Amino acid sequence: MVSSEETERGGAPARSATETRGRPARARGRPRSFDREAALERALMAFWEHGYEATSVSDLTRVMDIGAPSLYAAFGDKRTLFEEVVREYGTRYGSFGDRALAEEPTARAGIERMLREAAVEYTTPGRPHGCLVIHAAANCSTPEVEESLRERRNANIAAFERRIRADVAAGVLPEGTDAAALARHAGAIIQGMSQQARDGASREELESLAEIALAVWPRS
């Protein structure tokens, strides 16, 4: 029975031990904070494995372990999230090619290192095989995404060509070297290595392919 003093105070009646026994304890402490970096990495892996078009928002919320409102609040829509994923991929997984070209003394040495490292990167256990930028464009029907990925691939080939032309000008490669064709050859090889890795080619098989591809390079 509630006392008159409790009624006047407007307080709730105290519960007896019998009434409270068996009730689950109320959770204490602050709720788990949202780990944006971890969620982004999981989205990256989903896009890398399935491509842009085949990865739905429901797929993303499932693998990222967040609701759709949280996804939109933290990352924007699917296309905006993908753009961030591609940048993150380029920083964490796809930068080996840029480093090879920048650090090696010649275009041939840079391309050779890039292809050999691609054989390793594209077949690393525990993550999707091949290149996200190449694979994500497959069967893509979103023009903006398709164009963005095409620009990235073409930018890579343009970087190859600039490096080759610099070697021609320096006399490292013969004057008659077709820099544009040689750059596109390198681009075709690395794109083919990506697809073959997804089809099950091993690191050793891709390294052999790289060795054959380098045989077409002219000597000074």
Side-chain angles (χ1 to χ4, degrees), residues 5-28:
E5 183 180 2
E6 288 177 319
T7 303
E8 290 173 1
R9 291 199 310 263
R15 297 186 182 276
S16 68
T18 303
E19 289 176 309
T20 58
R21 187 179 299 119
R23 292 176 180 269
R26 180 178 298 175
R28 293 182 178 182

Side-chain angles (χ1 to χ4, degrees), residues 107-185:
R108 188 186 190 284
I111 296 296
E112 178 178 9
R113 173 177 158 184
M114 179 188 69
L115 295 181
R116 293 191 185 282
E117 291 188 6
V120 176
E121 294 291 334
Y122 290 174
T123 58
T124 298
R127 68 189 194 205
H129 286 179
C131 171
L132 180 148
V133 174
I134 295 170
H135 174 63
N139 301 317
C140 182
S141 60
T142 305
E144 297 85 355
V145 172
E146 187 177 24
E147 178 61 24
S148 174
L149 294 173
R150 183 185 300 113
E151 287 176 356
R152 284 180 174 271
R153 295 192 300 274
N154 287 337
N156 288 336
I157 293 173
F160 302 163
E161 184 175 347
R162 285 194 300 272
R163 190 65 196 276
I164 294 167
R165 289 190 184 280
D167 279 7
V168 173
V172 176
L173 289 171
E175 187 175 346
T177 298
D178 188 336
L182 198 55
R184 288 210 168 271
H185 174 265

